[in-house]
Each structure stands twice: as structure tokens, then as C-alpha cells.
Amino acid sequence: MNEFNEIELLFINKLLNKVNYGNLNLFESNQFANSPIGNSILKKIELKFEARFSEIKKRNNNAGISEFRYEFDNYVGKAILERLNVLDKSSYQAISKWNEKETEKFAKDILGPIKYEQFELLKLTKFLTEKSKEKNSS
């Protein structure tokens, strides 16, 4: 589980090459940002360095620095919403066909290992549902 699989390594390779040697356009940025593969990589890194991250979190808490969390209206939430606002119409067409559970799963995939409260996840799910209706009616 802690080893990177071939798809994850290709994902990292493509991302790093794009960042280092290319121009990352908005479409590509969204592909990387909303990818369950990227979230899988983040979870593995978090598990591998859990003790070290725990130590850093403790120091940050003592210094009054809050933990990295998703809230619909904080800087993390706003960055995610900004990307979702420019998601292509075909993505929203697909989302519009999903039921609530499928939309929630997608929202969880977007958040990946970021900590969040259930009511914040519900706000994101509702946003995705409403945005898909809006995009499909235009």
C-alpha cells in the first residue's frame, strides 16, 4: 500500500515535467488538481512521513498556526471552488447525471487527504450539483 504503483509514478513524472519544462494550462491544472491519483499519492506520502508530520503539526499548533483544513469559505475552499468554476462543460454534463452518492464521492476525491467536517463536504457536494445544473442550462 505504501509503494507507488506505475500509474502514480507516471502521474508524478508528467506533473513534474509539466511544472519544470512546460506551461501548465488551466485544463491540465484541473486534471492534476482533481485527480484521485494525486490524492492517492498524497495519502501515501502522509502515511510514510506520519511521525514527522505529527511533530510539525504539534509545533505549528503551539505557534498558533492552524491545521491545513478544507472549509467551503476558507482559502483552501476558495482555491478549489475557483478551479471548479472553470471546469469544462463536459465534466459538468457528467456530474449532472450522477446521483447524490456519486457526486459526494467525487467531492471526496477532490478533497483527498485534506481534513474536513461532514457539513463542509455537503456544501461542496451541493455546489457541484448546482453548478452542473447551471452549466447545463446555458
Side-chain angles (χ1 to χ4, degrees):
M1 174 71 179
N2 283 340
E3 295 291 319
F4 291 120
N5 64 41
E6 188 174 304
I7 293 171
E8 291 167 335
L9 291 172
L10 289 170
F11 178 95
I12 293 168
N13 184 56
K14 183 177 180 181
L15 175 60
L16 291 175
N17 276 303
K18 250 334 198 174
V19 169
N20 286 332
Y21 308 112
N23 293 321
L24 196 62
N25 66 37
L26 191 56
F27 176 75
E28 291 167 320
S29 175
N30 277 331
Q31 282 185 311
F32 287 118
N34 297 324
S35 173
I37 298 167
N39 289 333
S40 172
I41 293 167
L42 287 170
K43 286 177 187 173
K44 288 178 180 180
I45 291 170
E46 215 172 78
L47 283 173
K48 175 90 173 154
F49 298 101
E50 188 173 10
R52 174 100 185 207
F53 289 158
S54 174
E55 194 177 295
I56 292 168
K57 285 178 190 176
K58 197 181 298 181
R59 269 188 282 154
N60 285 346
N61 285 339
N62 290 340
I65 301 170
S66 61
E67 185 179 20
F68 185 73
R69 308 184 62 77
Y70 167 79
E71 292 174 12
F72 193 79
D73 294 319
N74 73 357
Y75 70 99
V76 178
K78 288 178 182 172
I80 289 171
L81 293 179
E82 189 175 311
R83 283 197 311 268
L84 291 173
N85 276 319
V86 294
L87 203 59
D88 63 329
K89 189 173 181 172
S90 63
S91 296
Y92 279 112
Q93 286 173 336
I95 293 168
S96 71
K97 295 175 183 166
W98 294 343
N99 63 35
E100 190 177 333
K101 289 277 187 215
E102 291 168 315
T103 306
E104 185 177 304
K105 183 187 177 321
F106 179 63
K108 286 179 179 178
D109 285 344
I110 291 170
L111 297 177
I114 299 172
K115 301 224 181 325
Y116 59 87
E117 299 291 332
Q118 185 64 27
F119 66 92
E120 296 292 349
L121 174 67
L122 294 175
K123 288 180 192 178
L124 180 58
T125 303
K126 182 178 178 185
F127 172 85
L128 288 165
T129 301
E130 289 174 0
K131 194 71 169 177
S132 68
K133 288 176 186 172
E134 175 189 314
K135 289 275 189 174
N136 286 311
S137 67
S138 58

